[in-house]
Amino acid sequence: MDPQGLASLSNTVLYTAMGVLAFAMIAFALHTAKVTSARSAPPQDRTRELVGAGASARAGEATHGVEAGDAGDATGTTGATAGSSAVGGPQPGPGSPGARVGAWAMSLSWLATMLLLVSMVLRGLSVRRAPVSNMFEFAVAGSFVVLALYLALAQRRPLKWLGVFVVTPVLLVLGIAIRSWYTAASELVPSLQDAWLVIHVPVAILATAIFTLGFIVLLLQLAQARREQAIARGQRGRPRFLAGLPDSTSLDRTAYSLNILGFPLWTFTLIAGAIWGQKAWGTYWSWDPKEVWTFVIWTIYAAYLHARATSGWSLRTANIIAVVGYLAIIVNFTIVNYFFPGMHSYSGVSAP
Amino acid sequence: MTDDRDGGFAPAAPDPTDAAAPVTDGPGSRPVGLGARGWARWAWRNLTSMRTALLLLLLVAVAAVPGSIFPQRGIDPVAVSNYLRDNPTLGPWLARLGFFSVYSSVWFSAIYLLLVVSVIGCVVPRTRLHLRALRSAPPAAPSRLRRLPAYTRVETDADPDDVLAAARAALRRSRYRVRADPAGTPADPAGTPADTGAAAANTASPRDRSVAGETGYLRETGNLLFHAGILVVIVALAWGYLVGWKADRIVPVGQSFTNTVSGYDTFAPGPWVDADDLVPFTVHLDRLDVRFEESDQGAQFGAARDFRADTTVTPYPGAAPEQRDLRVNGPLTFGDASVYLLGNGYAPRLTVRDAAGAVLYEQATPFLPQDGVYTSAGAVKVPGARPEQLGFTGVLLPTAAQGPNGPESVFPDLRDPVLILNPYVGELFAGGAESVYTLDTSGLTALTGADGKAARLELRPGQTVALPGGRGTVTLEGIDRWAGVSTRYDPAKPLALTSALVALLGLVASLLIRRRRLFVRVGEPGPDGRRVVEVAGLARGEDATLQGAVDALAARLPGVGAADGPERAGDGSPDRSPEGSGPPRA
């Protein structure tokens, strides 16, 4: 098949992946809704429910790293950590709410991820290089890595509660990518034709994907912490869907683990970029807008790590710093590509 | 400046191996007394505190942003002039505040220099503490192991000394440093070494049979290497700035340049550069191949796809010439100096003759590309013309086509090149020194054609046109390519790279390696002659697998059977902070 044929086939597969992903999103949303309604029934109802559920009912918070939909892997992980125990919930089991739709959501996500991979391979064959060199390709590859990472992590621990919050933004990014950032398959400008393209850019994508998951979990953590405080004050915890999620301590630990994984990779991106810059432009650091923002992001995440180690800075402040760090990543990928001309202007998209 | 949330092995009392303690206790305390020394001490402690370092770190991030928004003199001076022209009110104020040279501005420098001092003030004492910790044995087992974050108890019928020996051996096999004291050392309440004074209050049995081991010292080593590496990167940047230089030159095909100050169009040395020290290597540009995108009709049409040069270089005077390839991403290197291929363009070969046919001007004149389709602008200056000097402004269209506003270029390669010249007569260089690519027309008047309008000469390669008024002829002999090369000299590059990689390794070590202590204590025999063995663990920072390590160690002890099922940490110690979440935060 000729390159343009491969490229258009790649796009068809991408659209198919997005369709499958849309179904996965709906399934994840249904799953979360079912788990939530099972967990956060009003107190008077819950009493009845607990009585009715008999031996399978369990007092105390059941949300520590465990969620109702995960049948097999739910047992044995109920945390010893005692968070705010204002709500109770039914013990998860094979027939628990949302189990079937949750399994469907996972399968559909796997299928969509495979399709994204196929789309990337076809694109790579079409352009005969790693398909990671413009905004469109970066977004597709980034979406793939986010999904793949999520699914890989979900293999080892119950993570269905996170599904809808991962799949929805990924779908949004893919939509923007193919509508607004699409760049016809083509060769590279000379400065990009180098082995460092397959080192610098994929590591940047991986780091961005890990930070993306960390950011999603952090947003949930901040909301969960607020809800727990409200419950501790005797108010109703809002929004309700958070009842189906792990407690804020557990969410914080997950986000921290992701961010400390992302940080060294981002550091490597910075160093690899400097090495490549030296090779291509004769200088390893030239305060190009992209370099500046990569450095700014690195600094903010470094501040996050330090804020967690500093007495006098609350966990919330530290997590907000990390949220700001991710917002800087978004700025780096969108605004910097569009409006700040520099030596990294490879987006393939002309400024408005 | 540690990545650990607590910096120590809390929940215990302050620990001398707690590296962050000496630097985090600063900001809250007021200066004692009013002496200058007191204030200096107070200021120093504040500056080196983690809180200050953190604020400075965030400030660096904020302060770096304007440099990506406003054009920078060091990167694009033309854009700065344009900005100043377009913003007559705001521009001068931004210039005064250093927004066009952010990274050398007073405020940016102040922030990062303070940060550097702060980091040094934090890392040096921590290094000292860490070196001391590396030389000393781990602290003895605290008296109440049950209070530690990870805990289990088992029963054994083995000899207590055998149990302790097995525990020591198991810890050593797992690369723990084991406290060397024999059984019987007084226990200490909370994991603090005996010399902190806590031992005085100790009520434990003098016949304490315990083993203490610690591992993961590389975590702190890595953390310190990370910070030291970052500092050295900054030193390398400064050194490179001081002794490094960069120089640019446009070299038409068939010409060469020599690595001397006069051999370049621009030469930008650092403050400590001695220009006489340049090694005068020579590079001759034999050939330049350029290829542009032709198949894609979208935004990528005409984008550069490949350009490379064949060169003949003489590494030093008298050396044998050798053939070398010069590519984008593939510089020529001469020691610490490297020649990079950064641009390319066209140089029309022009011959200007006077009315009598005598040659006034004959050379390849580089024009500068102005856009993606290489619409190139340049100037031709003929000072030898009589009675008046001659000058031309020119535009080269590599592939000319008729556009809505006259001829324009539609493709960057030379498919149908047209050179458009506007001739002037009068006095050249009326405004003093000027760029070779532009013509100062203040002392010149445009030559007019027969129709009375300013003359406009259109030339294709090989064509000759006559100048108005019988002033002679201009011939476009052909169009050469030129390569834009940049020579960079930075002897600090290897240092910057090495220290950055060291910092990265240190970072990975400090984030992945777990620093933890494990303790084993054998109790007195019960009525059945069996002894209770307690195993407990303490970690720095978050450590999800600590309990697993404790259980694994307990399982490796001789004669072990579970005592009423293993008892875990967390049972009945309400004053403890939740597992893995570190100590209460201040």
Side-chain angles (χ1 to χ4, degrees):
Chain A
M1 196 180 283
D2 69 314
Q4 294 311 318
L6 283 168
S8 86
L9 185 58
S10 158
N11 293 346
T12 311
V13 176
L14 179 57
Y15 275 119
T16 315
M18 288 171 64
V20 174
L21 211 50
F23 282 109
M25 178 180 74
I26 295 167
F28 271 126
L30 282 175
H31 171 260
T32 303
K34 289 197 169 181
V35 173
T36 307
S37 59
R39 292 258 179 97
S40 64
Q44 61 273 26
D45 295 337
R46 184 155 42 83
T47 325
R48 235 180 299 139
E49 190 184 284
L50 284 170
V51 172
S56 75
R58 175 180 172 276
E61 179 74 312
T63 52
H64 297 97
V66 179
E67 53 132 299
D70 273 305
D73 48 3
T75 45
T77 32
T78 31
T81 42
S84 63
S85 52
V87 288
Q91 176 80 338
S96 65
R100 267 181 64 191
V101 72
W104 268 104
M106 277 307 205
S107 306
L108 288 169
S109 303
W110 274 107
L111 179 59
T113 309
M114 301 292 182
L115 286 170
L116 273 185
L117 182 64
V118 170
S119 166
M120 281 167 61
V121 168
L122 287 171
R123 175 93 181 180
L125 288 173
S126 153
V127 293
R128 289 185 295 276
R129 58 171 165 79
V132 286
S133 70
N134 54 48
M135 227 167 145
F136 166 73
E137 291 170 354
F138 193 99
V140 173
S143 302
F144 165 75
V145 176
V146 167
L147 284 178
L149 258 175
Y150 165 71
L151 292 171
L153 290 172
Q155 287 288 91
R156 291 183 51 196
R157 67 203 79 197
L159 276 180
K160 286 203 192 88
W161 53 268
L162 190 56
V164 68
F165 307 104
V166 171
V167 168
T168 310
V170 162
L171 196 53
L172 188 71
V173 166
L174 284 176
I176 297 174
I178 200 147
R179 295 304 308 162
S180 307
W181 299 336
Y182 186 73
T183 310
S186 56
E187 281 182 73
L188 294 176
V189 296
S191 55
L192 285 182
Q193 296 168 11
D194 195 68
W196 284 97
L197 177 71
V198 291
I199 304 170
H200 172 61
V201 183
V203 176
I205 290 174
L206 184 60
T208 307
I210 292 172
F211 280 143
T212 304
L213 287 177
F215 170 71
I216 293 167
V217 178
L218 268 184
L219 287 185
L220 294 171
Q221 194 276 337
L222 290 170
Q224 186 72 293
R226 227 187 64 187
R227 176 177 162 272
E228 284 167 5
Q229 276 173 5
I231 291 174
R233 283 194 305 269
Q235 296 161 346
R236 291 192 60 182
R238 282 181 184 282
R240 257 184 63 198
F241 72 84
L242 289 173
L245 266 54
D247 69 355
S248 64
T249 313
S250 168
L251 286 173
D252 175 69
R253 209 176 304 158
T254 308
Y256 180 69
S257 311
L258 286 165
N259 284 333
I260 62 168
L261 195 63
F263 187 68
L265 288 170
W266 194 260
T267 312
F268 179 83
T269 304
L270 206 56
I271 296 174
I275 296 172
W276 192 8
Q278 176 69 52
K279 208 175 156 196
W281 306 324
T283 167
Y284 59 89
W285 195 258
S286 47
W287 294 109
D288 180 69
K290 205 87 184 184
E291 288 173 2
V292 170
W293 278 87
T294 305
F295 168 72
V296 165
I297 292 158
W298 184 86
T299 312
I300 298 175
Y301 275 97
Y304 160 72
L305 293 180
H306 285 91
R308 293 181 67 96
T310 310
S311 53
W313 286 64
S314 73
L315 198 65
R316 186 166 172 270
T317 315
N319 287 349
I320 288 174
I321 292 176
V323 166
V324 172
Y326 191 79
L327 295 180
I329 290 182
I330 297 179
V331 168
N332 193 22
F333 185 62
T334 54
I335 295 175
V336 173
N337 277 2
Y338 270 107
F339 297 106
F340 301 160
M343 298 189 294
H344 278 86
S345 302
Y346 303 126
S347 67
V349 180
S350 33
Chain B
M1 303 291 289
T2 162
D3 59 302
D4 299 325
R5 285 178 53 189
D6 50 300
F9 278 99
D15 181 324
T17 66
D18 169 0
V23 289
T24 49
D25 63 354
S29 51
R30 294 279 133 200
V32 186
L34 281 172
R37 270 187 69 185
W39 280 106
R41 196 177 152 77
W42 176 79
W44 175 249
R45 293 181 105 197
N46 269 283
L47 178 61
T48 57
S49 79
M50 180 98 119
R51 198 185 305 178
T52 311
L54 187 47
L55 282 173
L56 288 169
L57 202 56
L58 288 171
L59 267 178
V60 166
V62 172
V65 170
S68 72
I69 298 172
F70 300 108
Q72 297 295 296
R73 286 216 166 83
I75 299 169
D76 194 349
V78 178
V80 175
S81 333
N82 291 346
Y83 190 94
L84 284 169
R85 191 192 58 219
D86 298 343
N87 300 274
T89 338
L90 187 62
W93 276 104
L94 290 174
R96 231 163 282 161
L97 294 171
F99 277 88
F100 299 121
S101 45
V102 165
Y103 307 108
S104 52
S105 70
V106 177
W107 40 277
F108 191 79
S109 313
I111 296 168
Y112 81 76
L113 286 176
L114 280 174
L115 183 60
V116 165
V117 172
S118 172
V119 171
I120 292 173
C122 175
V123 166
V124 168
R126 266 180 59 193
T127 308
R128 226 166 29 223
L129 282 169
H130 185 53
L131 288 176
R132 200 186 302 158
L134 282 178
R135 283 195 305 268
S136 53
S143 61
R144 276 173 291 175
L145 291 182
R146 187 183 290 239
R147 296 183 58 158
L148 298 185
Y151 176 81
T152 190
R153 50 185 290 162
V154 290
E155 277 190 7
T156 182
D157 41 22
D159 182 76
D161 290 331
D162 288 351
V163 173
L164 293 179
R168 274 198 204 94
L171 284 173
R172 288 213 174 92
R173 263 201 306 280
S174 309
R175 304 185 146 261
Y176 277 72
R177 176 179 298 185
V178 178
R179 191 173 170 84
D181 55 5
T185 307
D188 166 82
T192 50
D195 59 12
T196 57
N202 138 48
T203 53
S205 157
R207 288 165 60 218
D208 182 36
R209 299 174 194 273
S210 67
V211 166
E214 183 167 355
T215 190
Y217 293 86
L218 266 178
R219 181 189 180 92
E220 179 72 357
T221 309
N223 196 307
L224 291 169
L225 276 179
F226 169 69
H227 287 100
I230 299 287
L231 290 175
V232 178
V233 168
I234 294 173
V235 169
L237 273 167
W239 180 24
Y241 165 73
L242 289 171
V243 304
W245 49 263
K246 63 175 190 176
D248 299 322
R249 169 72 197 255
I250 282 179
V251 193
V253 172
Q255 296 190 22
S256 54
F257 75 97
T258 303
N259 185 40
T260 57
V261 174
S262 59
Y264 291 107
D265 299 332
T266 61
F267 184 79
W272 292 358
V273 171
D274 184 354
D276 296 337
D277 288 348
L278 268 59
V279 178
F281 59 77
T282 304
V283 177
H284 183 264
L285 189 64
D286 305 330
R287 180 192 160 96
L288 181 67
D289 287 325
V290 183
R291 192 165 59 78
F292 299 97
E293 175 69 50
E294 299 182 16
S295 56
D296 178 9
Q297 297 300 314
Q300 298 281 317
F301 181 68
R305 286 303 173 222
D306 195 19
F307 65 110
R308 58 183 64 223
D310 296 339
T311 62
T312 306
V313 304
T314 314
Y316 51 91
E322 45 192 280
Q323 304 284 326
R324 286 207 225 162
D325 228 21
L326 173 61
R327 283 172 294 113
V328 180
N329 279 315
L332 301 170
T333 49
F334 302 90
D336 284 330
S338 300
V339 178
Y340 296 86
L341 180 60
L342 293 186
N344 69 84
Y346 298 110
R349 256 192 346 266
L350 287 168
T351 307
V352 181
R353 293 186 175 83
D354 65 13
V359 172
L360 298 172
Y361 180 95
E362 183 176 31
Q363 70 184 69
T365 312
F367 278 36
L368 295 181
Q370 308 292 308
D371 53 26
V373 286
Y374 281 53
T375 306
S376 305
V380 180
K381 297 163 193 181
V382 192
R386 294 289 177 271
E388 290 170 295
Q389 293 181 320
L390 260 175
F392 302 87
T393 59
V395 175
L396 175 72
L397 309 171
T399 302
Q402 200 58 40
N405 306 316
E408 60 180 32
S409 180
V410 292
F411 194 73
D413 212 349
L414 291 174
R415 287 183 179 172
D416 181 18
V418 169
L419 177 67
I420 297 163
L421 291 175
N422 297 301
Y424 292 84
V425 289
E427 186 196 353
L428 292 169
F429 311 110
E434 61 177 346
S435 158
V436 294
Y437 306 106
T438 56
L439 186 70
D440 178 2
T441 54
S442 60
L444 300 169
T445 47
L447 275 178
T448 50
D451 56 356
K453 288 188 196 159
R456 194 165 157 283
L457 315 174
E458 247 186 63
L459 288 152
R460 288 190 155 78
Q463 290 184 344
T464 301
V465 292
L467 287 167
R471 288 171 189 269
T473 58
V474 182
T475 308
L476 179 59
E477 312 282 354
I479 298 172
D480 286 344
R481 290 185 194 276
W482 55 256
V485 298
S486 186
T487 309
R488 311 285 176 124
Y489 171 77
D490 182 358
K493 265 184 325 200
L495 179 67
L497 178 60
T498 314
S499 46
L501 292 177
V502 166
L504 179 61
L505 277 180
L507 176 67
V508 170
S510 77
L511 292 177
L512 296 188
I513 292 175
R514 294 191 167 104
R515 179 105 178 244
R516 53 166 71 138
R517 292 173 184 164
L518 290 184
F519 305 104
V520 176
R521 174 171 290 126
V522 183
E524 294 305 306
D528 58 352
R530 288 167 69 85
R531 290 166 185 269
V532 169
V533 181
E534 295 177 290
V535 184
L538 189 61
R540 172 179 285 186
E542 307 191 8
D543 190 344
T545 58
L546 184 62
Q547 183 65 47
V550 165
D551 292 343
L553 177 59
R556 286 165 82 176
L557 298 177
V560 158
D564 317 324
E567 186 190 344
R568 292 290 175 80
D571 301 342
S573 25
D575 54 338
R576 224 173 36 75
S577 56
E579 181 191 353
S581 64
R585 298 168 66 87

